[in-house]
Amino acid sequence: MTNKVLPLHADTVGSYLRSAPLKAARAQFAEGNISRAELTAVEDAEIEKLVQAQLAAGIQVITDGEYRRSWWHIDFLENLNGIEGYVPEEAYNFRGVSVRKYNIRCSGKISWNDDHPFLDHFKSLQKIVNGRGIVKFTIPSPNQLMYDYQLNTAVYPNRAAMMKDVQKAYQDAIKAFYAAGCRYLQIDDVYWGTLCNNKDLPSFPADKAQALENVQAILSVKPADMTVTTHVCRGNYKSSYRLTGAYDPIADALFAQTDYDGYFLEYDDERSGGFEPLKYFAANKGRVVLGLVTSKFPEPEDKEFIKSRIREAAQYIPLERLCLSPQCGFASTEEGNILTEEQQWAKVRLVEEIAREIWGED
């Protein structure tokens, strides 16, 4: 199956609603009532069920649903050398809701951790899938370490110096995942969404240039037979969001100057603007994955409306280079969005059905 062009015309962002047994086990582990080994056994069993559920829904790109993580990004970042998790005094706010109090900060020189637990997480998923689908693994972007509050001036004189080490850590990460057998890696990136939101700030030009440099640096070591995509997000927590803004301010950089194999773009509501910025993909060889089916709300989309949106986007990019996916993951944190598992799988099946009808993908 891996000789298919990735992303597939029907693809997935990655996270799924955590199952009840998994939530219970994680709570027991946090309270000290079960061991790490006992929690891992539950995770293994629940990921086996999740893989089967994905296959039953018809999807060919299989993830572990981020079941072993509490956050889409922090679990990865705090296991890099030089980054630590901590509990801040205040949580940051989404629209109408505050997130759980937990964050990361720089505690020393940043580098790749050869014992990073995500390597074993990937190997476990690959073993569970056992050739029944295309294994996809997700990690956060290096740009998630670009925020000013993360700079520790006792360690680095400025952000540019810090990001050089971050780039090297990510280059080593890509090599490590490749060596572990990973051939489909997704880089999740809220920072580009932050730039869309903050386009009028004086720091915008420099911030955009640094974000572009980070992407170019990590993709420079990508092996030819490894697919690396990105997902641009505007925040996803309990069906709420943090950011707004169309892609126009970043399109000249992200779309025209980077070499990702695929770009998962949120297009489920007006916060993402129109399709016109897609014109910057003229010289880009990657596929564009339209996130037209929302993962935030349970109501089913109208199939014909989604098809009309795909045809609209095809005015800027050839139809064959377009794909469809949910707009984001269904559970970027373990809390998950406000819908049921049944409603989640209905969304996944809808993506598959539309892809078959548009592109004839099996």
Side-chain angles (χ1 to χ4, degrees), residues 302-321:
D302 178 82
K303 187 185 291 187
E304 295 307 315
F305 175 72
I306 298 298
K307 288 180 180 180
S308 71
R309 294 281 282 158
I310 294 170
R311 288 192 289 269
E312 184 182 345
Q315 298 176 33
Y316 301 95
I317 297 177
L319 183 63
E320 184 58 29
R321 289 182 54 209

Side-chain angles (χ1 to χ4, degrees), residues 88-107:
E89 291 184 6
E90 295 183 4
Y92 55 90
N93 294 322
F94 272 49
R95 185 62 60 95
V97 63
S98 293
V99 305
R100 182 169 17 111
K101 289 184 181 180
Y102 198 73
N103 215 324
I104 50 170
R105 60 191 175 195
C106 175
S107 58

Side-chain angles (χ1 to χ4, degrees), residues 96-300:
V97 63
S98 293
V99 305
R100 182 169 17 111
K101 289 184 181 180
Y102 198 73
N103 215 324
I104 50 170
R105 60 191 175 195
C106 175
S107 58
K109 288 288 186 179
I110 297 170
S111 64
W112 172 245
N113 172 13
D114 289 332
D115 294 320
H116 201 292
F118 275 37
L119 291 174
D120 283 339
H121 296 176
F122 166 76
K123 293 175 185 177
S124 175
L125 174 62
Q126 189 175 50
K127 183 178 179 181
I128 290 169
V129 174
N130 193 28
R132 293 177 293 166
I134 299 168
V135 177
K136 178 179 183 178
F137 203 72
T138 65
I139 63 173
S141 168
N143 290 333
Q144 296 309 130
L145 293 172
M146 283 268 289
Y147 297 97
D148 289 339
Y149 72 87
Q150 294 166 334
L151 175 64
N152 183 345
T153 54
V155 179
Y156 293 103
N158 51 52
R159 187 175 67 185
M162 174 179 166
M163 294 314 298
K164 289 297 182 185
D165 281 356
V166 172
Q167 291 168 15
K168 178 61 166 59
Y170 267 79
Q171 289 173 340
D172 292 342
I174 288 175
K175 294 174 184 177
F177 278 108
Y178 184 83
C182 181
R183 296 297 181 269
Y184 191 2
L185 185 69
Q186 180 175 291
I187 310 292
D188 292 325
D189 204 329
V190 171
Y191 193 76
W192 290 108
T194 301
L195 290 174
C196 294
N197 190 86
N198 297 345
K199 61 183 175 61
D200 296 324
L201 293 182
S203 63
F204 174 79
D207 292 342
K208 183 168 72 168
Q210 178 70 74
L212 175 60
E213 177 189 320
N214 294 338
V215 171
Q216 290 173 316
I218 67 171
L219 292 181
S220 69
V221 303
K222 182 182 82 70
D225 62 339
M226 185 183 201
T227 297
V228 179
T229 63
T230 189
H231 170 236
V232 179
C233 183
R234 290 170 175 78
N236 188 42
Y237 184 80
K238 292 183 177 180
S239 293
S240 185
Y241 65 90
R242 180 170 172 82
L243 305 164
T244 62
Y247 293 102
D248 302 71
I250 63 168
D252 60 328
L254 180 61
F255 299 165
Q257 299 182 58
T258 62
D259 296 316
Y260 282 116
D261 297 299
Y263 298 76
F264 287 74
L265 305 178
E266 295 187 330
Y267 268 116
D268 63 323
D269 64 22
E270 68 282 352
R271 287 184 298 120
S272 301
F275 292 130
E276 188 175 10
L278 300 183
K279 66 186 180 183
Y280 283 94
F281 278 102
N284 191 312
K285 297 179 181 179
R287 285 185 163 189
V288 173
V289 188
L290 302 173
L292 294 167
V293 175
T294 191
S295 66
K296 293 186 183 296
F297 306 111
E299 293 78 16

